[in-house]
Amino acid sequence: KARVVQRGALSTHRYREPAGERDSKDFTERRRRHSWTLLNLQLNERRGVVATSMASALLARLQAEHGTEILAYTAAGCAGMLLCYGLAPKTCKDRLSMANSIFWFLAAPALTYHSITATLALGASVESRWTAGSHHSVEFQRAYVALQIVASCMELIKSGSFQSKMPMLAHHALSCFCYLTSLVTGRLHFFAVLDGCCETTTIFVSFLQMSRMEGGGIDEWTKSDPVGKKAHLVNGGLLWLSFVVFRLVLFTVVLVVFGHDSLVLPPQIWDKVSAVELTVNPAVTVFLLILSVGWFKKIHVGLVKALSGKADKSR
């Protein structure tokens, strides 16, 4: 098919010199430029055909091997979100956000279990880090993609400007792209679950968010009850510590290990890895690291205020 396209392009785009200009000085140069332009058009057309075929094959494989499971996790996530909405107190001013925080407070431990278990199982060698997978790594990525779809819908319907939601929506979209690529190719599961260990911080973030929502019950408990005050301080300390370990340090380690492995990767593995996997995956990790640095600044300021007794109502 490509050859037929080439012959057709050559026949329809054959350079025809104007009458009387065959002997002009720049005729040869113009003809050479035309030949290179035609060659580039043909190459780009062939690349487009190949890329379209590869994308279709990958999507078909994704649907066949993981589509049903991702849809099931998505349906379970939607049902869980509705259940959490029912559990959220009706007196809460932002009941939708309270339901979202309750949901992630309950879901994050399961994601953390799968990610840590898979990381410990796949990190033994370069080959296992780049080509191996496990039950826990597959289930983590399926569940994560499904829950990010639910989270994106929640983010869109929550109150607030679209501009303020852009960083989180970009986080969801880029993470899903990397995880879906890993599921389809069967490669880089280790780096997917190692990045996923950052969900440990979601447990403490969710509790902090619930303690800030007026009318939710937890806000009054953490302000007036002695046990609630201590729980709030302990959660803030664990949030600060987990952000350092499971985001700032973790994402740096991911980039270092990825870069080191790229330099010593065996040829038989290197030939199979695509340019997207070599560039987009570390770029997304850098993006997450930058986001985490910005979030950590706010967490640090809030913890200092809480420890010094200067935390106000908007902590």
Side-chain angles (χ1 to χ4, degrees):
K1 184 182 294 186
R3 291 173 182 172
V4 171
V5 171
Q6 287 182 1
R7 287 197 295 270
L10 285 171
S11 61
T12 57
H13 294 87
R14 189 182 305 278
Y15 182 78
R16 301 181 183 277
E17 65 278 8
E21 292 190 8
R22 178 178 296 275
D23 298 328
S24 62
K25 295 181 179 180
D26 60 341
F27 168 73
T28 303
E29 179 65 18
R30 288 205 307 271
R31 188 165 189 173
R32 185 185 66 82
R33 290 178 182 177
H34 177 80
S35 300
W36 276 109
T37 302
L38 179 60
L39 179 60
N40 287 331
L41 288 173
Q42 293 170 355
L43 290 176
N44 290 335
E45 188 173 6
R46 292 178 64 184
R47 291 191 189 104
V49 172
V50 173
T52 302
S53 301
M54 291 180 62
S56 300
L58 291 176
L59 288 175
R61 182 177 177 182
L62 176 65
Q63 182 178 1
E65 297 181 3
H66 307 287
T68 303
E69 290 78 5
I70 292 176
L71 286 176
Y73 277 123
T74 304
C78 292
M81 192 67 72
L82 290 175
L83 178 61
C84 291
Y85 185 81
L87 294 175
K90 296 181 179 180
T91 57
C92 185
K93 289 187 176 182
D94 193 351
R95 195 177 176 191
L96 192 63
S97 295
M98 174 62 86
N100 187 63
S101 297
I102 295 174
F103 176 83
W104 282 104
F105 183 76
L106 299 175
L111 292 176
T112 301
Y113 166 73
H114 280 299
S115 61
I116 293 178
T117 303
T119 299
L120 295 175
L122 300 176
S125 64
V126 174
E127 288 77 9
S128 64
R129 289 196 290 269
W130 284 71
T131 61
S134 68
H135 166 74
H136 290 289
S137 67
V138 172
E139 292 305 315
F140 168 79
Q141 293 178 89
R142 288 172 174 173
Y144 187 89
V145 169
L147 295 183
Q148 292 303 296
I149 295 173
V150 177
S152 297
C153 295
M154 290 294 294
E155 195 71 28
L156 289 172
I157 63 178
K158 280 167 49 178
S159 59
S161 64
F162 183 77
Q163 185 177 359
S164 64
K165 300 175 182 179
M166 281 298 296
M168 189 57 70
L169 290 174
H171 162 270
H172 296 331
L174 292 173
S175 298
C176 286
F177 175 80
C178 291
Y179 284 140
L180 288 173
T181 302
S182 178
L183 283 173
V184 172
T185 62
R187 295 187 291 268
L188 301 179
H189 280 215
F190 169 78
F191 296 100
V193 294
L194 184 58
D195 269 338
C197 292
C198 71
E199 291 301 320
T200 304
T201 63
T202 304
I203 302 171
F204 309 111
V205 170
S206 299
F207 183 86
L208 176 65
Q209 291 173 338
M210 289 187 289
S211 69
R212 297 174 59 185
M213 296 179 189
E214 296 183 18
I218 299 180
D219 59 330
E220 292 297 329
W221 179 65
T222 56
K223 291 176 184 177
S224 57
D225 190 278
V227 177
K229 291 180 179 180
K230 291 182 180 179
H232 180 71
L233 287 175
V234 170
N235 181 79
L238 292 175
L239 176 59
W240 188 96
L241 182 62
S242 64
F243 240 79
V244 172
V245 176
F246 289 101
R247 284 189 177 270
L248 304 184
V249 174
L250 176 70
F251 292 148
T252 304
V253 170
V254 171
L255 294 172
V256 171
V257 175
F258 190 92
H260 171 268
D261 285 358
S262 300
L263 297 176
V264 299
L265 205 61
Q268 63 271 21
I269 299 177
W270 179 267
D271 293 339
K272 297 179 181 179
V273 179
S274 66
V276 173
E277 293 170 295
L278 291 172
T279 56
V280 176
N281 285 0
V284 172
T285 302
V286 171
F287 175 70
L288 295 177
L289 179 59
I290 294 173
L291 283 180
S292 298
V293 170
W295 292 334
F296 180 73
K297 291 180 180 179
K298 299 179 180 179
I299 293 171
H300 179 74
V301 171
L303 180 62
V304 170
K305 288 183 177 180
L307 292 176
S308 61
K310 296 179 181 181
D312 54 17
K313 186 177 180 181
S314 62
R315 62 176 185 251

